[in-house]
Amino acid sequence: MSGHRVHLIGSDAWVDVAVGETVLHAARRQDRALPYSCLSGRCGSCRGHLIAGVVSYPYNPPDALSPDELEAGEVLLCQAVPQGDLEVAIREVDAVRGIPLRQLDLIVTQMTQLADDVIGLYLRPADGQPLAYLAGQYLDVLLTSGRRRAFSIANAPRVDGIIELHVRRVAGGGFTEQVFSALGVGDCLRVEAPLGTFVPRAGSDRPMLLVAGGTGFAPIKAIIEHLQKQPPSRKVRLYWGARLATDLYLEHTVAEWTRDHEWFSYQAVLSDAASDDPAHRSGLVHEAVLADHPDLASFDLYMSGPPALIDAGRHAFVDAGLPTDRLYYDSFDFAPDVLAAMIRARGRQGQRVD
Ligand SMILES: Cc1cc2nc3c(=O)[nH]c(=O)nc-3n(C[C@H](O)[C@H](O)[C@H](O)COP(=O)(O)OP(=O)(O)OC[C@H]3O[C@@H](n4cnc5c(N)ncnc54)[C@H](O)[C@@H]3O)c2cc1C
């Protein structure tokens, strides 16, 4: 037999992994629902614990794990290639299993400037078939030469099939510069979707903390829209961090949620603006969460946004008592092709990619 077998403890399932294939890639091929986000080895969403066997990392290094964590048997399944049969402890995300992965064309029906550097894209499936997905998932825009860029879907599924994206302009960015300079209504984007496991977990009555950085608001907005359809019996509190108040691009929508739902509350946190307005606190958003909730043991916490926020939050929140299996996140990391180029450059220069 070529390849290896991986036993997923928790779901008691087996995955056949081809030679040179990562565990996550094989698991997705076989409709297993392992958690993942950046697919680059940097965010740690796909972290599991290796009970038996040996893995190698021939593609990207497992940057999300410290040397101590690697030593203790932690593995990153989006990069880990088995060197023999494995036993891995990891919990699957049952909710996303069975939703078909599609490639489809989306037509731009509307473009709205939400902030100086954020455009809202409103897209409809060209074939009229609404995409099946869960609130919080993302899509990949398929570019030339096999490159792809991930964008969170910013709305819960709608009967008319409209999909909303919040695209932040990245200086020198291969795709987002095009969105700001060349994309127009009527244009078509080829996408693959749905992707990701950043979806609300059912069956918990613990209060939810939602933490967004910048356009990390997009999947959080989708999740809140989903919750509005089945109002939760638990409290939901959103912390939205940005540099300036003008970056909080849909705050009027958040104000409506606050007004309409007693279960929902909101705190804005600005990193680059001094403020004595309690509605817009100053500082870093994860520090504001910790200042308000020094003990996170009784919460479920969902966060999305730039890698620096995710990296800071996933350490600080766990240090404050949040169990790791109640911390869910999407890290808006570099696309794999960009990261690979950066890693090659790092290899030449002997520097870290941060
Ligand atoms: C799960 C997920 C969800 C996401 N959701 C969103 C979202 O909702 N909204 C959003 O705005 N973004 C989101 N992102 C980020 C998004 O996927 C893109 O990474 C981002 O938009 C930049 O894409 P780009 O093509 O414009 O820039 P890229 O071409 O990826 O370039 C990014 C930066 O790297 C630099 N760069 C490129 N190549 C190199 C190189 N070889 N060496 C050094 N530097 C280089 C560029 O100059 C630029 O500054 C998400 C990411 C993930 C993983």
Side-chain angles (χ1 to χ4, degrees), residues 145-180:
S145 319
R147 292 171 308 136
R148 40 178 72 215
R149 295 292 182 270
F151 289 90
S152 299
I153 302 174
N155 60 303
R158 287 173 33 164
V159 282
D160 62 6
I162 292 289
I163 284 175
E164 174 184 340
L165 307 180
H166 299 164
V167 178
R168 188 175 74 82
R169 183 178 209 153
V170 175
F175 176 66
T176 59
E177 292 278 22
Q178 288 291 310
V179 170
F180 276 74

Side-chain angles (χ1 to χ4, degrees), residues 36-40 117-118 138-140 143 147-154 165-178 195-196 215-219 249 305 330-345 348:
Y36 67 92
S37 174
C38 78
L39 296 175
S40 300
D117 62 350
V118 180
Y138 68 89
L139 54 74
D140 269 355
L143 308 175
R147 292 171 308 136
R148 40 178 72 215
R149 295 292 182 270
F151 289 90
S152 299
I153 302 174
L165 307 180
H166 299 164
V167 178
R168 188 175 74 82
R169 183 178 209 153
V170 175
F175 176 66
T176 59
E177 292 278 22
Q178 288 291 310
L195 295 163
T215 49
F217 176 69
Y249 50 83
D330 247 357
S331 178
F332 286 9
D333 231 303
F334 294 114
D337 67 281
V338 173
L339 186 66
M342 288 176 162
I343 287 171
R344 282 197 299 276
R348 286 195 295 273

Side-chain angles (χ1 to χ4, degrees), residues 155 233 324:
N155 60 303
S233 53
T324 49

